[in-house]
Amino acid sequence: MLRQRFVLDTSALTDSATREKEGYKTLCEGINSIMDIIAEARLSYELSCYIPYPSVYNELCGFIKNNGCEDEVIAKIDTWLVKKTPDRYEVKIPSKIFYEYVDYMRSRINKGMTVAEDAIWEAATDCLFLTSRAQDKKNIEIEIERNVIGSVVGKFRDKYRTALRYGILDSGPDIDVLLLAKELDAAVVASDMGVQKWAEQLGLRFVEAKSFPAMIKEYLQHKMKV
């Protein structure tokens, strides 16, 4: 029987959509409950969950501490998740993937530049319109600062985030998740769209974070029937 291996991104345990779907009230409750499921699956089904060390492990521990979770949550992570550093020198990535990623990054950067240009034009046009109608210079400066600049910056942030971050690997932990999964021939568990996109490009199995607890429960139910 093929032994199931999973490599967990931080979002595999911290995803808000998972908490909503499973009925967990807090991040701490969610992580604690998912770790209990993983522990049972490891003992009953020989299912192994890995976490890249130290990058993703430290990131996850930071989430746990910042949310005031009890020490037993980290103890469960140390016990039931296999901490492993990906072999960054031996894991081979096809050069075509590297080429496609650079090309993809260029297209996203160009979209980000377009968003920035639109924001500049919008701000300049609004400021010019208000200035042309203004009689009180001091009040118009306050109105521009509060209304025009604040509105434009807010919209720019949302559009820029959408344009530049979708499908992007924007951190070392993201890359470590993919490298470790490639090394182990394991499935990736995450809610990050960038991780999902490039997991698929690398031919890796991908499990959405919000579906992971239910999938493990299904394994366990099948084991009980057998």
Side-chain angles (χ1 to χ4, degrees), residues 7 41 58 65 68-69 84 124 133 183 190 198 202 205 225:
V7 175
N58 288 343
K65 291 175 181 177
C69 301
K84 188 180 186 309
R133 298 179 57 189
E183 178 183 344
W198 295 101
L202 289 167
R205 291 169 293 153
K225 292 176 182 178

Side-chain angles (χ1 to χ4, degrees), residues 64-127:
I64 291 170
K65 291 175 181 177
N66 291 337
N67 282 272
C69 301
E70 296 180 358
D71 292 341
E72 70 169 320
V73 177
I74 293 182
K76 288 183 179 181
I77 288 172
D78 288 335
T79 302
W80 301 112
L81 298 185
V82 181
K83 300 190 291 291
K84 188 180 186 309
T85 304
D87 191 339
R88 301 186 183 101
Y89 293 98
E90 293 299 324
V91 176
K92 292 179 172 52
I93 303 296
S95 57
K96 186 175 185 296
I97 298 295
F98 182 71
Y99 179 86
E100 289 178 353
Y101 185 73
V102 171
D103 188 60
Y104 184 77
M105 279 295 299
R106 181 172 56 192
S107 70
R108 305 310 297 186
I109 290 171
N110 287 338
K111 287 186 177 182
M113 190 187 314
T114 300
V115 170
E117 290 172 352
D118 290 344
I120 292 171
W121 277 109
E122 182 181 352
T125 302
D126 289 347
C127 290

Side-chain angles (χ1 to χ4, degrees), residues 36-219:
D36 286 341
I37 297 169
I38 289 174
E40 187 178 352
R42 184 171 177 181
L43 292 173
S44 303
Y45 201 78
E46 295 187 357
L47 182 148
S48 297
C49 291
Y50 291 76
I51 186 168
Y53 181 87
S55 59
V56 177
Y57 175 80
N58 288 343
E59 187 176 70
L60 179 58
C61 287
F63 267 94
I64 291 170
K65 291 175 181 177
N66 291 337
N67 282 272
C69 301
E70 296 180 358
D71 292 341
E72 70 169 320
V73 177
I74 293 182
K76 288 183 179 181
I77 288 172
D78 288 335
T79 302
W80 301 112
L81 298 185
V82 181
K83 300 190 291 291
K84 188 180 186 309
T85 304
D87 191 339
R88 301 186 183 101
Y89 293 98
E90 293 299 324
V91 176
K92 292 179 172 52
I93 303 296
S95 57
K96 186 175 185 296
I97 298 295
F98 182 71
Y99 179 86
E100 289 178 353
Y101 185 73
V102 171
D103 188 60
Y104 184 77
M105 279 295 299
R106 181 172 56 192
S107 70
R108 305 310 297 186
I109 290 171
N110 287 338
K111 287 186 177 182
M113 190 187 314
T114 300
V115 170
E117 290 172 352
D118 290 344
I120 292 171
W121 277 109
E122 182 181 352
T125 302
D126 289 347
C127 290
L128 183 63
F129 175 74
L130 289 173
T131 302
S132 66
R133 298 179 57 189
Q135 297 179 352
D136 187 331
K137 184 178 179 180
K138 183 177 180 180
N139 288 337
I140 195 60
E141 289 177 352
I142 294 174
E143 185 174 352
I144 288 174
E145 182 178 353
R146 288 181 178 176
N147 300 325
V148 176
I149 295 178
S151 174
V152 172
V153 168
K155 287 187 288 185
F156 167 73
R157 286 180 181 275
D158 292 338
K159 291 181 179 179
Y160 187 81
R161 187 179 297 110
T162 300
L164 200 60
R165 295 199 65 184
Y166 179 80
I168 298 296
L169 299 174
D170 58 0
S171 70
D174 287 350
I175 296 174
D176 278 348
V177 167
L178 295 175
L179 290 177
L180 186 56
K182 185 73 173 175
E183 178 183 344
L184 300 172
D185 189 23
V188 173
V189 184
S191 65
D192 186 287
M193 295 299 295
V195 173
Q196 178 178 358
K197 175 180 173 61
W198 295 101
E200 292 169 353
Q201 289 291 322
L202 289 167
L204 299 170
R205 291 169 293 153
F206 181 84
V207 179
E208 287 191 27
K210 64 182 180 181
S211 301
F212 185 60
M215 187 187 72
I216 300 301
K217 291 175 186 176
E218 180 65 22
Y219 276 128

